[in-house]
């Protein structure tokens, strides 16, 4: 048959990336939610201009409301099946007056694993899939600031597309997925907590990056990898859980290829911390209890440990002190707001601060969430306030940036 008579193959249009599909789905659901609310609240006597203005407002807010509702449904669904929150009393016992930092360091694996069993669902619900802080630059959304903070660190790694990177203390893999997309690298990500591994790998599969991002369960004090396995290693606010910085940095040195870069954001006390101040000691303790830390140490301890592990220190500084005119400090999301769209800030206002435990207690009694949920929320909330006070007083930073290079063999 002549070419003109041959049947044409059907047009195949490429499907949108999974992230775009979810955004469009959220937008569509938000439009429906906003439209439904509009029909409910709009009296027949509304003027056309007033109706149009209300429609625009609801259609803009609708997607935000839908996203919050869907996250809350996911949170409650996961919590209802959880059997982990009975661990809260055992976790709190780790910080009893009879227990020292040395005691917690000896039992760090149980401490950290128990903490993330308790905290992970709350973190994802209130913060997202990247469990770390970031200052917010003018014009940025919260999520944009989080991703930019990750890209800033990834830019220090000096890797090419196809490189193999280790995320040392990965949570549920938010940074690993973002950095894999940004660099084109393959990311192995390790966490002590099996629940985080399962959750993170499920998200990676949903987002279509499981061929490049793989979470595994393991201890970063005893990394389950051969020597010289990785082109680069990074850690974002995770090695603060280590009982010994020399030990974790030494393991990172071992698995890093000669000439490779290790870059991290560390949680540290600053030069403003006064060990004789009762206020400063309370803030330090609130951060440790609320964030699963055996002990919080000074910046000099971390930098010294990096050198002792054999790294050439390329950079060591507090990025929270960088100029940010017109922006917001990293701790602002942990301060009170009366705006219900500013989450998690809304839960820190005086009314919600008292109401949230009561709401969760009611859900406990109804069997919607497990026993121990209220104690977990109170513990995390106190930790958030401790972090905010640490930032406001300047005695604590979550972003002590360190960049070290492994010497060439």
């Amino acid at each position: 048959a002549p070419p003109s008579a041959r049947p044409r193959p059907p047009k195949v249009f490429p499907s949108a990336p999974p992230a775009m599909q979810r955004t469009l789905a959220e937008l569509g659901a938000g439009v429906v939610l906003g439209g439904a609310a509009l029909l409910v609240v709009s009296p027949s006597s509304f003027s056309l201009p007033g109706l149009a203005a209300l429609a625009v407002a609801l259609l803009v807010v609708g997607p935000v409301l839908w996203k919050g509702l869907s996250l809350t449904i996911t949170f409650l669904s996961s919590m209802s099946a959880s059997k982990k929150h009975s661990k809260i009393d055992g976790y709190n016992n780790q910080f009893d007056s009879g227990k020292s930092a040395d005691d917690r360091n000896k039992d760090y694996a149980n401490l950290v694993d128990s903490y993330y069993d308790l905290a992970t669902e709350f973190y994802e619900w209130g913060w997202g899939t990247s469990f770390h802080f970031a200052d917010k630059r003018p014009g940025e959304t919260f999520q944009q600031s989080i991703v930019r903070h990750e890209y800033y660190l990834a830019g220090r790694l000096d890797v090419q597309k196809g490189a193999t990177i280790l995320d040392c203390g990965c949570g549920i893999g938010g940074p690993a997925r973002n950095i894999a997309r940004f660099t084109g690298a393959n990311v192995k990500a390790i966490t002590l907590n099996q629940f985080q591994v399962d959750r993170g790998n499920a998200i990676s599969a949903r987002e279509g990056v499981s061929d490049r991002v793989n979470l595994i369960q393991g201890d970063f004090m005893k990394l389950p990898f051969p020597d010289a396995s990785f082109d680069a290693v990074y850690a974002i606010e995770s090695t603060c859980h280590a009982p010994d910085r020399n030990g974790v940095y030494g393991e990172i040195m071992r698995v890093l290829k000669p000439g490779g870069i290790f870059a991290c954001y560390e949680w540290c006390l600053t030069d403003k911390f006064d060990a004789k101040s009762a206020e400063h000691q309370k803030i330090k303790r609130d951060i440790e209890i609320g964030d699963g830390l055996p002990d919080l140490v000074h910046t000099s301890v971390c930098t010294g440990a990096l050198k002792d592990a054999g790294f050439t220190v390329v950079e060591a500084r507090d990025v929270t002190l960088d100029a940010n005119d017109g922006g917001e400090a990293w701790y602002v999301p942990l301060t009170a707001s009366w705006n219900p769209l500013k989450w998690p800030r809304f839960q820190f206002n005086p009314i919600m601060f008292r109401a949230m435990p009561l709401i969760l207690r009611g859900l406990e009694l109804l069997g919607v969430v497990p026993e121990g949920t209220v104690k977990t929320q109170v513990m995390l909330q106190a930790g958030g306030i401790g972090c905010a006070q640490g930032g406001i007083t300047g005695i604590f930073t979550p972003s002590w940036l360190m960049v070290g290079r492994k010497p060439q063999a």
Side-chain angles (χ1 to χ4, degrees):
S4 59
R6 292 176 189 160
R8 292 183 179 179
K11 272 190 176 180
V12 178
F13 294 96
S15 60
M20 183 180 293
Q21 292 176 16
R22 289 195 308 279
T23 299
L24 292 173
E26 288 172 1
L27 179 60
V31 168
V32 172
L33 183 65
L38 179 63
L39 292 174
V40 171
V41 303
S42 299
S44 57
S45 59
F46 241 124
S47 67
L48 282 177
L51 190 61
L54 184 58
V56 170
L58 285 173
L59 294 180
V60 169
V61 173
V64 178
L65 295 177
W66 173 257
K67 187 169 185 179
L69 179 62
S70 63
L71 286 172
T72 299
I73 291 171
T74 300
F75 169 73
L76 292 176
S77 174
S78 180
M79 291 291 286
S80 67
S82 173
K83 307 241 186 268
K84 307 184 297 292
H85 290 78
S86 59
K87 293 184 176 183
I88 181 63
D89 290 329
Y91 172 81
N92 285 335
N93 287 341
Q94 294 263 23
F95 293 91
D96 281 350
S97 56
K99 294 285 184 76
S100 67
D102 286 341
D103 293 327
R104 291 190 294 275
N105 279 327
K106 290 174 185 175
D107 197 27
Y108 76 94
N110 181 55
L111 172 71
V112 175
D113 188 44
S114 296
Y115 175 77
Y116 281 110
D117 268 345
L118 295 166
T120 295
E121 287 146 317
F122 279 94
Y123 276 8
E124 186 178 0
W125 177 45
W127 206 262
T129 58
S130 292
F131 300 168
H132 64 81
F133 295 108
D135 63 344
K136 195 162 80 168
R137 304 299 167 86
E140 282 185 334
T141 65
F142 173 76
Q143 287 302 326
Q144 286 170 342
S145 72
I146 290 290
V147 174
R148 186 253 312 148
H149 195 61
E150 293 167 2
Y151 289 176
Y152 187 80
L153 190 71
R156 298 290 196 277
L157 297 178
D158 192 25
V159 294
Q160 305 298 318
K161 183 177 180 179
T164 302
I165 297 175
L166 174 64
D167 181 331
C168 204
C170 62
I172 58 174
R177 287 183 288 274
N178 291 332
I179 288 173
R181 295 186 188 102
F182 179 64
T183 62
N186 300 303
V187 181
K188 288 278 188 185
I190 190 168
T191 171
L192 263 173
N193 187 261
Q194 187 62 48
F195 177 75
Q196 291 189 331
V197 171
D198 297 339
R199 178 64 181 147
N201 282 331
I203 296 172
S204 294
R206 187 186 74 194
E207 295 188 0
V209 295
S210 54
D211 59 328
R212 289 185 289 144
V213 179
N214 181 36
L215 278 70
I216 65 170
Q217 192 277 332
D219 184 349
F220 56 33
M221 298 297 292
K222 295 171 283 189
L223 288 170
F225 307 110
D227 295 356
S229 300
F230 295 96
D231 298 296
V233 181
Y234 69 88
I236 299 180
E237 302 184 20
S238 58
T239 46
C240 52
H241 292 294
D244 171 33
R245 296 305 196 287
N246 294 71
V248 67
Y249 298 160
E251 274 293 276
I252 290 168
M253 167 70 84
R254 179 182 66 79
V255 302
L256 191 59
K257 293 178 182 178
I261 291 285
F262 167 53
C264 69
Y265 293 126
E266 271 283 7
W267 280 30
C268 293
L269 298 171
T270 72
D271 289 342
K272 292 186 177 181
F273 177 75
D274 179 2
K276 297 178 181 178
S277 166
E279 178 193 9
H280 289 189
Q281 287 289 355
K282 181 181 185 306
I283 291 171
K284 176 179 182 286
R285 183 170 175 78
D286 285 346
I287 294 171
E288 289 167 350
I289 296 174
D291 295 281
L293 307 185
D295 193 21
L296 192 58
V297 300
H298 188 267
T299 56
S300 60
V301 174
C302 294
T303 307
L306 194 68
K307 293 176 182 176
D308 291 343
F311 284 97
T312 300
V313 178
V314 177
E315 192 173 7
R317 64 189 186 83
D318 186 355
V319 299
T320 68
L321 302 180
D322 290 355
N324 186 14
D325 295 338
E328 291 182 353
W330 63 268
Y331 54 79
V332 169
L334 300 175
T335 59
S337 171
W338 293 100
N339 184 346
L341 297 180
K342 289 188 178 294
W343 191 266
R345 294 185 63 192
F346 184 64
Q347 69 166 302
F348 288 101
N349 73 57
I351 293 176
M352 286 301 296
F353 184 82
R354 290 167 177 78
M356 279 296 291
L358 297 176
I359 293 169
L360 290 173
R361 181 57 182 157
L363 293 175
E364 278 187 356
L365 293 173
L366 292 171
V368 176
V369 297
E371 190 77 23
T373 298
V374 172
K375 290 181 180 179
T376 301
Q377 188 267 343
V378 170
M379 176 266 291
L380 294 173
Q381 200 172 50
I385 292 171
C387 286
Q389 288 301 310
I392 291 167
T393 58
I395 68 170
F396 164 72
T397 176
S399 298
W400 180 250
L401 170 66
M402 298 195 302
V403 180
R405 185 182 295 277
K406 180 174 182 176
Q408 292 286 353

